[in-house]
Amino acid sequence: MPSIANQRRPGPFALPALLAALLAALLATLLLLVSLPARAEPDGAELDRDGLADFVTRGMAQWQVPGMAVAVVSSDEVLFRQGFGVTAVADGAPVDEHTLFANASTTKAMVAAGLLMLVDEGKLTLDDPVVKHLPELHFKDPLLTRELTLRDLLTHRTGLPSTDFWAFFQNMPLHEQVERLGAVAPAAPLRTRHIYQNTMYELVGLVIERVSGQRWDRFLAARLWGPLGMNETFGARAQIGDGLRHVLPHSYLDGKVEVTDWDLPADLADAAGSAWTSVHDMSLWAQFLLRGGIAADGQRLLSELSFAEFFEPQSLVAEKDFYPTAALTQPHWRSYALGWFQQDFQGRPIDFHTGSLSGLIAIIGLDRTGDRAVVVLGNRDHAEMRHAVLWEVMDRTPAAERRDWNQAVYDLYQESAQARKDQWAEQQKQRLRRTKPALPLQAYAGRYANPVLGEVAVEAADRGLQLRGAQFELPMTHWHLDSFLVEHPPWDLREFVEFHIGPEGEVRSFDLFGETFTPRAEAARP
């Protein structure tokens, strides 16, 4: 539109030409600013750095977290970045912004970004059938084999149940997981329900390798982490150099914080969540996202079209499949994009994702309309104060009127834990008393296999039985009759093994995790 200065004829007292031109330019600039979307920060948007540091410190004490690192950034400024606590409860070093933590499932968005880079190169599309790139892949449902797309893998809408047992308990190589997928029965029809599925992201990593010729983490190192200056980010724990400090995983059981076992082998590069990074590097990643896919040097790493697709909601998520904290934030909608959970909060869309491994946690949250992101990394199993930090940072109400997110989140999860205790107490009431197994304990021992879950061993132990796999040893406590209780406290896992005895007085099979295991000699491969 023409400038205001050109909308009327100069009068007899017109300014000198140069001054008039400067005034015209100034007025045009002011008009342009008025026409742009308002960026004025609402009440409460100013970040209280000291207040946030105190908030994190109080939360760590409440949740018994040994070490944590937190960052808050805008697209062009680090608003807060600080390490808290120590890398380990015993002889740990202080945590700083360069201390390495597990990304866990916050890795997924990076993997999705890598796939979108290949889309930009024209090497694939999100709606390619997966079998186009992984022809060896076949599912129990032929329709799934034919129709499943790369987009479906990224959005957890395959309908397949969790197959985490493979990676976390069996240390099963990916090629065997691909083979066993043919035996997995869907829990829901394709694209009808959000069911979180880590194995599908492992497949995305394999597609990146097949198409690019580089393993997924090496591809990201060359195409994403390197250009962003994320030099403290690695695809697997074994890649961490000797001179770099990293945390140890911790659990909180029976009122005590202690170092726990690693979930994943050190050398495993698992696209579902094996990456390690620092809060310094995660700040660079978050700023890249707030800038719309542009690196600090101005280089665009994702096209505008692909970046928009990155955050485009792909499916709605039912309340039961979403985070419990929705009870506090009360969103009007819940969705999933490409590696991002999404919801509204105080009238703004928020993109976020957690990461969890035994003893290690992470979360990243983005308010792209408000130009703010938060990252939290910690070294205590399921320290859900990460959600409290997320919503404290995203909350725009004045501090004096703001909810105590630390206490609200803590109370929410305490209520959930108590509900599980109450449910377990009710389960215990159903236990039959004074019963014994039908056979001597040694008669239950042996190797068993299932086409889906693989091979396990039942062994006679000093005080009962033990269930053993490639990466776990779990005690089996006699419950009643021929049922045994299997417990894994770090996951708050309780499952029952029910043995079936044949007429010849021998074990024919047992049921566990909804699957039937048979003696190894009779077990069929998928």
Side-chain angles (χ1 to χ4, degrees), residues 399-410:
E401 303 172 17
R402 190 173 304 168
R403 159 184 255 153
D404 183 346
W405 287 103
N406 262 330
Q407 193 62 48
V409 171
Y410 184 77

Side-chain angles (χ1 to χ4, degrees), residues 10 70 75-76 102 107-108 119 133 144 263 283 307 331 354 511 516:
V70 177
S75 57
D76 58 2
T107 305
K108 288 181 169 67
V119 171
H133 304 285
L144 203 60
D263 257 346
S283 299
F307 188 82
T354 57
D511 296 333
T516 298

Side-chain angles (χ1 to χ4, degrees), residues 230-246:
M230 296 173 64
N231 300 318
E232 299 168 351
T233 302
F234 308 93
R237 180 163 40 95
Q239 298 171 18
I240 299 173
D242 292 337
L244 298 176
R245 179 184 303 167
H246 69 78

Side-chain angles (χ1 to χ4, degrees), residues 126-127 151 154-155 157 308-316 335-338 342:
L126 293 184
D127 296 311
R151 189 187 301 272
L154 292 170
T155 53
R157 62 187 195 187
E309 191 73 21
F310 198 13
F311 291 98
E312 181 71 20
Q314 303 292 318
S315 59
L316 295 176
S335 59
Y336 198 84
L338 304 182
Q342 301 170 304

Side-chain angles (χ1 to χ4, degrees), residues 100 215-218 221 225 231-244 246 265-270 274-276:
L100 302 184
R215 198 174 69 185
W216 68 268
D217 56 322
R218 292 167 184 156
W225 301 336
N231 300 318
E232 299 168 351
T233 302
F234 308 93
R237 180 163 40 95
Q239 298 171 18
I240 299 173
D242 292 337
L244 298 176
H246 69 78
D267 60 352
L268 177 62
D270 186 320
S274 68
W276 279 70

Side-chain angles (χ1 to χ4, degrees), residues 102 104 168-169 248-251 260-264 356-361 379-382 488-491:
F168 294 111
F169 284 97
L248 295 180
H250 295 77
S251 61
T260 191
D261 294 332
W262 298 105
D263 257 346
L264 300 174
S356 301
L357 291 170
S358 290
L360 302 162
I361 59 99
N379 65 344
R380 204 223 90 177
D381 189 71
H382 282 86
H488 185 52
W491 283 25

